[in-house]
Amino acid sequence: MSFINRKKSNKVKNLLIYIVVLLIIAVTAFVFFSPTFEKNAPKVVYTGDKFWNFKKPLKLKFTDDNGIKSYKVAYLDGDKLVKLETKILNNDAKNIVVEIIPPKFNRLNTPPKQIVLKTQVVDNSKWNFFNGNITSKDFVIDIDRKKPIANVVSNSYLIRQGGSATVVVEVKDENLKDFYISFNEEERFELIPFYKKNFYMAIIAWPVTIEEFKRVNLIAIDKAGNKTTTKVPYYIKELKVKVDNIKISKSFVEKVSKNVLSKSGFDIPEGTAEAFVATNKDLRAQNVKLLKDVSRQNLDFSQVSKFDLDAFKQLRGSKTFSRYAERRHYYYKGEKIDEAWHLGMDWASIRNAKIYVTNPGKVIFKDYLGIYGHTAIIDHGFGLATLYAHTSKLNIELNDFVNAKQYIANTGSTGAVFGDHLHFGVLVQGLEVNPLEWMDKKWIDINVKKILNQAKKVIDTK
């Protein structure tokens, strides 16, 4: 072969090698950087509490950037592998929640106390020689099929709309997750440790805004989802509602309502009626919610053994101008524009009269509160607090501990009011209830102290 031919042959070989190298680099780059060959393994998340009651489906969450191709779920009972579910998917779902149906058991085939849940998930990637990325993950699951113990130990005889009642219960479970008192499945009341381990008490309320009494339940739920519902028996008593028709003037709205809206950061409607409704309805709802939130955030869950509060007393030398649960209908230029509940006692004597607290407690709120004006809330324990609204001066600071008979404030006309007075409210876990019950020593003795004492005698026999 001539020199020229050899030279041409070498050029062709070098070119072929160069092309092959480029192809290898291109294929390698494609494999490493193409989404088709992505290397991120699927993620497996068990959303439960690592408990299963073998009654309700168990939920697993699978996610992957390239989509889920298939999954397998089984559990290991000792050396025995029990298949639960295997599925090949026909779509490119990147996020799926799988509900695993529990196996069935009978009296001859009892469930284990603990299992190892085994999962395997494969994605749609072409990585791993076109087999995809595989994630295998195990979870140790405790099997709990026993419902919590939830018994009523003692409770008040009756409750009225807007009123309060007491209940003492026993709640017990190794894996307890949540427990509370439910009113009509609309309001939740927390339980406070009482006297001995596994016993709890609560003062509850029938909110005046709920007209129909359906049922009060003790609810206990464990981490496996087992739930016990026990009825708390109450007789009910009707509420006598006083209806007030109140005429609203343009002067009141201009001087009071719009001022309150402005101080509360609300937009002020131009119309007189609209401005009043914004104050009386929208701002009121926000204020009432804050009362509830603050009270519940500051609940004291220290164990209690007795109720040691005195009956609350009326403002010294005052007269009552408005009572709890008056239904107020508001009219402007002869047309009804709104209505609302009055949820406290209004007392007035002289301008800027001194206010003294009846029982000791902790100041959990001190601020301007819309329709309530300058307001203080004092927590007395047991889920019970008192509200002092429309004050001109507050002689206390947030988080102060106040003593019984301590001077705390002066009456005033701040907020959405017509004149100088004190709005006194009693809060049960943030809900305003009838103060007259809590101002009556006999009512407290029968409906609170007696119930707690009866419960202690029952608990001592267990």
Side-chain angles (χ1 to χ4, degrees):
M1 181 180 295
S2 66
F3 173 76
I4 294 174
N5 289 337
R6 286 199 303 273
K7 192 173 182 180
K8 287 182 178 179
S9 178
N10 287 336
K11 286 183 177 180
V12 172
K13 289 180 180 178
N14 289 337
L15 180 61
L16 290 173
I17 291 171
Y18 181 72
I19 291 172
V20 169
V21 170
L22 286 177
L23 287 172
I24 292 173
I25 292 173
V27 170
T28 302
F30 176 77
V31 169
F32 274 90
F33 295 105
S34 170
T36 306
F37 288 88
E38 62 92 12
K39 302 176 288 301
N40 296 325
K43 294 179 180 178
V44 178
V45 178
Y46 172 54
T47 59
D49 288 304
K50 305 296 176 65
F51 290 88
W52 196 8
N53 60 12
F54 270 160
K55 296 175 185 177
K56 295 182 179 179
L58 182 148
K59 291 185 178 180
L60 293 167
K61 184 178 180 180
F62 305 143
T63 59
D64 187 82
D65 297 335
N66 210 35
I68 307 296
K69 180 180 179 181
S70 64
Y71 64 83
K72 297 178 182 179
V73 182
Y75 73 82
L76 196 63
D77 177 10
D79 296 327
K80 181 182 177 183
L81 187 66
V82 180
K83 293 182 180 180
L84 292 174
E85 187 169 345
T86 299
K87 185 170 285 189
I88 298 174
L89 304 179
N90 296 319
N91 54 44
D92 295 326
K94 297 181 180 181
N95 188 331
I96 62 172
V97 175
V98 178
E99 290 193 348
I100 305 300
I101 305 301
K104 294 182 179 180
F105 294 89
N106 55 42
R107 59 193 179 94
L108 300 176
N109 182 20
T110 58
K113 293 184 178 180
Q114 189 179 77
I115 63 170
V116 177
L117 188 71
K118 304 182 75 66
T119 64
Q120 185 183 84
V121 184
V122 183
D123 68 12
N124 285 315
S125 173
K126 301 304 181 184
W127 186 250
N128 192 26
F129 299 101
F130 297 90
N131 289 318
N133 300 292
I134 301 173
T135 295
S136 297
K137 196 166 184 179
D138 296 347
F139 302 93
V140 177
I141 307 291
D142 290 319
I143 306 304
D144 180 0
R145 291 162 58 89
K146 186 178 180 181
K147 290 185 176 183
I149 293 172
N151 300 317
V152 176
V153 177
S154 181
N155 62 275
S156 308
Y157 177 73
L158 59 80
I159 188 171
R160 76 169 70 208
Q161 184 182 1
S164 307
T166 309
V167 59
V168 178
V169 301
E170 177 187 20
V171 180
K172 185 164 54 177
D173 191 274
E174 292 181 357
N175 305 312
L176 196 62
K177 182 178 182 179
D178 196 13
F179 57 101
Y180 56 94
I181 299 293
S182 166
F183 184 92
N184 279 16
E185 298 184 352
E186 295 182 58
E187 283 290 349
R188 171 188 172 119
F189 295 93
E190 304 298 338
L191 287 154
I192 297 169
F194 175 72
Y195 193 46
K196 291 183 179 180
K197 185 179 179 181
N198 300 322
F199 294 93
Y200 304 86
M201 64 81 64
I203 297 169
I204 68 166
W206 176 357
V208 73
T209 54
I210 300 177
E211 293 187 8
E212 183 183 1
F213 179 95
K214 294 179 181 177
R215 184 176 171 123
V216 175
N217 286 326
L218 165 63
I219 308 291
I221 306 168
D222 67 18
K223 294 178 181 178
N226 300 301
K227 180 178 180 180
T228 301
T229 300
T230 305
K231 181 181 178 181
V232 183
Y234 285 112
Y235 287 94
I236 63 174
K237 195 169 184 179
E238 292 184 357
L239 171 69
K240 293 181 180 179
V241 178
K242 180 178 179 290
V243 176
D244 278 342
N245 296 322
I246 300 174
K247 294 180 180 179
I248 300 300
S249 68
K250 184 174 181 178
S251 174
F252 176 81
V253 174
E254 292 294 329
K255 293 179 180 179
V256 177
S257 299
K258 291 187 177 182
N259 181 50
V260 171
L261 287 172
S262 177
K263 284 187 175 182
S264 303
F266 270 55
D267 293 333
I268 303 175
E270 292 183 4
T272 301
E274 290 77 10
F276 177 80
V277 172
T279 307
N280 194 59
K281 186 175 183 180
D282 301 334
L283 181 56
R284 180 187 296 273
Q286 184 188 88
N287 297 159
V288 168
K289 183 179 183 302
L290 190 142
L291 291 178
K292 184 176 179 180
D293 291 345
V294 167
S295 299
R296 298 200 175 195
Q297 289 164 7
N298 287 277
L299 279 178
D300 185 356
F301 289 97
S302 302
Q303 187 179 73
V304 299
S305 296
K306 62 179 181 178
F307 188 86
D308 52 5
L309 299 181
D310 293 328
F312 291 95
K313 293 180 175 58
Q314 186 168 335
L315 178 70
R316 295 179 183 179
S318 68
K319 292 183 179 181
T320 300
F321 285 85
S322 292
R323 296 181 179 273
Y324 179 84
E326 291 180 357
R327 190 62 176 167
R328 293 177 171 177
H329 298 257
Y330 299 93
Y331 292 83
Y332 178 65
K333 292 183 177 181
E335 181 181 347
K336 182 179 175 180
I337 57 174
D338 202 12
E339 61 181 88
W341 288 103
H342 181 255
L343 298 179
M345 303 293 289
D346 284 351
W347 295 321
S349 57
I350 60 173
R351 185 180 296 274
N352 298 331
K354 287 187 175 182
I355 301 169
Y356 298 87
V357 65
T358 303
N359 288 293
K362 180 183 177 182
V363 180
I364 60 173
F365 184 85
K366 177 203 173 185
D367 207 343
Y368 183 86
L369 184 60
I371 65 169
Y372 293 91
H374 293 299
T375 300
I377 303 175
I378 297 177
D379 179 71
H380 303 285
F382 310 98
L384 199 67
T386 46
L387 168 73
Y388 306 84
H390 309 310
T391 66
S392 59
K393 178 184 177 183
L394 288 166
N395 196 40
I396 48 178
E397 297 298 331
L398 188 64
N399 296 320
D400 278 357
F401 186 87
V402 299
N403 298 310
K405 301 180 181 180
Q406 182 175 326
Y407 158 54
I408 61 167
N410 293 81
T411 62
S413 55
T414 58
V417 293
F418 292 95
D420 186 294
H421 71 278
L422 168 66
H423 173 100
F424 173 78
V426 176
L427 304 171
V428 168
Q429 297 202 17
L431 299 171
E432 278 199 79
V433 297
N434 193 341
L436 291 177
E437 293 180 341
W438 296 99
M439 295 170 66
D440 183 342
K441 181 182 181 301
K442 184 177 179 180
W443 183 92
I444 293 173
D445 287 343
I446 294 173
N447 293 278
V448 183
K449 292 183 178 181
K450 181 180 177 181
I451 304 308
L452 298 184
N453 290 333
Q454 286 177 344
K456 287 163 71 172
K457 291 180 181 178
V458 174
I459 292 169
D460 284 335
T461 64
K462 288 182 175 287

